[in-house]
Each structure stands twice: as C-alpha cells, then as structure tokens.
Amino acid sequence: MTVRSTIVVLWRYAPIFILLAAWQMASELKFVPDSLLPSFFDVVHRWLEFLADGEIAKSGTFLWDAVRSFFASTVVTNTAASMWRGMVGLGLSIILGVTLGIAMAWFQKLRDFFEPIVMISYPIPKPALIPIFIIWLGLGHISKIAVIFAGCLIPIVISAFNGARGVDRYLIWSARNMGTREGKLLWRVVVPASLPDILSGIRMALAISFILLVSSEMLAAKSGLGFLIFFLGESGEYAGMFAAVLTITLLGFFADRAYLTIMRRILIWREE
Amino acid sequence: MADIVARNVRKIYNPDKRYPVLAIDEVSLEVRENEFVAIVGPSGCGKSTLLYMVAGFLDLTAGEIKVNGKPVEAPGPDRGIVFQHFALFPWKTVLRNVTYGLEEQKIPKAEREKIARKHIDMVKLTGFEHHYPSQLSGGMKQRVAIARTLAFDPEVLLMDEPFGALDAQTRGVMQEELLSIWSKRKKTVLFVTHDVREAVYLADRVVIMTARPGRIKEIVDTKFAGYKSTEEVLESAAFAQKTHQIWKSVREEVDKAGPLDG
C-alpha cells in the first residue's frame, strides 16, 4: 500500500475514528457511567488481555510458547469456534441452495414441488428455529450449523432461482446454435449467466449467517463469540463483553470486505 | 449444397390457450445455394419467427422446412445465426466467445485459437481478443457475433435484424463489410430486416411479407449486375426504383396492420 492509498483508506473510515473518539471522551468526561458503557480504551485493553490469556503447559521455547498461547487465548478459541460453525453452515447452504435454485428454474416438476415449501419458509423468523434445533441437536456445533444452514438456504435458493430463470433466451439459443447439447446448457450457460444473482444472494446469506451465529450462541452454547458476549454480560464483565462485540464486528466487517473483493474478481466481466 | 426449402409453413403461438395467435401461414419459400435472401415486412409479421423456425429454435405448427434436403428438427451448427442484440456470452472474452462454437465442434485447442484469431482479424478486432463484451461498442459486439458465427463455418447464415441496434454510420460500414465477407466466402444467407434499403442493397432477392398473419406477398429480384462499385449501385436509378417499389409494398402492409401492431 502506498502512502497515498493509505491516506485515502484512513480518510474513508474517518467517521469511525470520530465515533470512537467521542466514545472515549464520553467516558473520560463521565457523561456515562462505566457500568453502562466502559471506555473504549478499557475495552481495547480487555481485548488485548483476552488475546494474551492462553494457558498452556510451558515448553521453554519462548516463540513456540507465544504462538501456542495465542491460539489458546479466549479471543482466538472462541473466534475459531464461531467461524467453524459459520463457515460450515454457510458452505452447506451454498452447495444445496445453488443446486436447488437452479434445478427449480430448469425442471418444472421440481419447481412445482419446492416452490410452496420455499414460499412458506421464507417469512419464518429464523431465530425462532434456534430453540427447536437446540432440543433436537444439542448444545454443540451441530445445532448452530443447522440454524445457519436453514437461515441462509432460502435467500440463496431464491437468488439462484431468479438468476437461472432470468437467463436471456438468446444466450441459450446461441449456445444451442453452436452445438451445445441440452445436458450441457446448464453448466455452460445457465450457471455462469446467473452468477451475479447467485453471488449477491450469498452476500446476503453471509450477513444473515452472522446474525444467526451470534444469536444461537447467545442462547445456548459453551463456546463462540455469542457465548462470550452472553457469558461476560451475565457476569457483569462489561469491558469484556464489549471486547467480544468488537471482535464479532471486526470479523463481520472483514468477511464482507473479503467477499466483495472476491465477488468483484469473479464478475470482472460485468458492465459497471 | 446448402439450400433452404419451406413448404406451407404455419406457426400458431399458444395453440392450446384462450388466445392463440396465428403468426405465420402458408409460407413457402426456396433459398438457393449461396443465395442472399432478405425478408422484409411490418413489425409483428412473423419474419423473425420464420427465421427461428429455420434455426430450429421454434417448432412448426404445420408444414415443413428442409435445409440441405433434411427436415429441421433442432438447432445445429450447420445453420449459424446472428441476433439483433448480439447474444454474446458476457462472461467470456472476445477470443473465448469466438472459440466457443469450435470447442463444441471438438476442434483441438491450438487450431481453434488460430481459426478464432483469423476471424477476429477479419472483422477488424485484432487487439481486442481479451476484452469482455461489456467493454465494446455495439458495432464491435456485432462484429464479434459475426466472427463467432462464421468461425464454425456454417453452411447457412441466418441473420435476425443484425444491424438494427446500430447507429446509421456503423450500420453502413457493417453492411459493406458483410457484403465483402460474403463475396469471399459464399454462403446461403437468410436475412431479416425492417430496413428496405438495406434489404435491396444486400440481397439477391427480397421477400415481402404481409401483416399478421405473415404470408409471402411478393418476391422481388434485387440483383444489380453490370455496376463497377457499390457507390454506383446505390446511386443508380434502378436501385432507387426497386427500393421505392418494395417500400410502397411494405407500407401498404404497415397500414393494414393498423395502430395495434405499431
């Protein structure tokens, strides 16, 4: 990164720095009591402690111990648990959702069967499923993965379906004209043509996955960032709770940025 | 040998629904090998429908169409088509769009790239091989579409108002280039347009269709022999006379079609 582009990025996020400064000021000047809103510096301090609190059996090699301690820390272990659940749940919903959405667009019989099911599932507030999945699947990873999977599936199915249905018939005719056989049309034309819709559906699902991840972990879990937020809040450890919220915020932000970058790369052919 | 023979072709849209539409009726037409035939007629007369049936995209309600003596059953690379709105694959570069048909024909990679580059050069787009369609102008996109279709060397060329979406200057240039390509690589061409001047200029014969249901009203010979240059043809009295004759004939049909079919 050049100096110039660094300045551009800093300038773009300047409002966030102003907000953080205002937060710190409000605490310093005692506008808000610490019990309601701990100061930003306290939160960061707590966050750094959470990064350094990994308890390990010392091996004596300093660097090796530091690395192991980092991976055993509160922040890293809980982030890892959350990310694992999120990625598996989202990944499964992408695989099934894209397949189902495109198949529904292509095969009338499948559409007739699944359309009412999708329509009835669409308005269900997905967090309402959390208690059910916990009863069925327990407190571990599986119940969270199932909630995220169920919540992300529908928007992905719908976007893949709309994308595949909206494929310009002239593109399909073109391909058939050049000798593409029926069986290969899906892969050679329909899938790439619906990619923009599919990818924006996945982006929506990514945001949903964070909401469901944290809320399901808050409700019942033994690890994860949602669990941490809930647990620390319950024990009155507000600086720690805010540190956990900060972690999930950063995680969500970087996940979306990274996704956007990848999406732009894949869709480089699209007109701006 | 590649000729097109249509016999008593009829097309009804939505035959089982409440409002079936008789689009084309009793159309019989023969296009000889290496002949350039243009179809003109008012909007909605079914001229594109006829072309899509020759291409194999649409089924016939009655009658038959034979290309090369064989009844048309499905689309195939023996009949290459060029659409008004290009229908390029937006996710593929110019080069990959042009190699697509060759790939489907199982032509080895090195050879299909060579053929593609030759055709890209033919439509004067060398240097744009790695551009995406979204980065090209309308005229350039249509050049790519023409290169893509000619690259897999169809015996019959079907053109569906190919220059209809282009501005007047570009259209003129493209018409000239098409004629020059066609004179070097003779093909049987069926060319749908609503531009009478374009039809008279490009085609050996012009088919005039009636307002819906589309029937063949008349077929006019538009071959101009004995002229030295295109300029001379375009400025000749014979060209003006033919254009006027066909234009009048189409105009009658436009008036018949009435405001509903605009």
Side-chain angles (χ1 to χ4, degrees), chain A residues 207-238:
Chain A
I208 294 173
S209 76
F210 269 85
I211 297 170
L212 291 175
L213 176 69
V214 174
S215 42
S216 64
E217 286 177 344
M218 281 176 74
L219 218 62
K222 286 171 280 185
S223 62
L225 291 167
F227 156 77
L228 209 57
I229 292 168
F230 183 75
F231 171 77
L232 294 169
E234 283 287 276
S235 21
E237 237 255 62
Y238 295 127

Side-chain angles (χ1 to χ4, degrees), chain A residues 81-150:
Chain A
S82 290
M83 276 180 70
W84 161 252
R85 293 162 182 165
M87 277 160 62
V88 174
L90 184 61
L92 290 175
S93 67
I94 290 170
I95 294 167
L96 189 77
V98 171
T99 312
L100 186 61
I102 290 175
M104 279 170 64
W106 207 241
F107 303 106
Q108 181 72 41
K109 290 241 160 65
L110 282 174
R111 169 151 80 253
D112 292 344
F113 183 78
F114 282 109
E115 207 168 24
I117 299 177
V118 171
M119 267 157 45
I120 197 82
S121 318
Y122 186 60
I124 297 176
K126 302 303 173 298
L129 299 174
I130 297 170
I132 303 173
F133 281 116
I134 285 170
I135 293 168
W136 288 348
L137 302 168
L139 295 177
H141 289 315
I142 308 290
S143 57
K144 281 89 202 164
I145 289 171
V147 170
I148 292 165
F149 170 77

Side-chain angles (χ1 to χ4, degrees), chain B residues 114-127 129 143 147:
Chain B
K114 209 178 99 195
I115 297 173
R117 283 178 198 280
K118 195 183 92 189
H119 284 83
I120 290 167
D121 186 54
M122 182 183 77
V123 296
K124 303 179 177 146
L125 281 178
T126 301
E129 290 89 345
R143 284 162 202 260

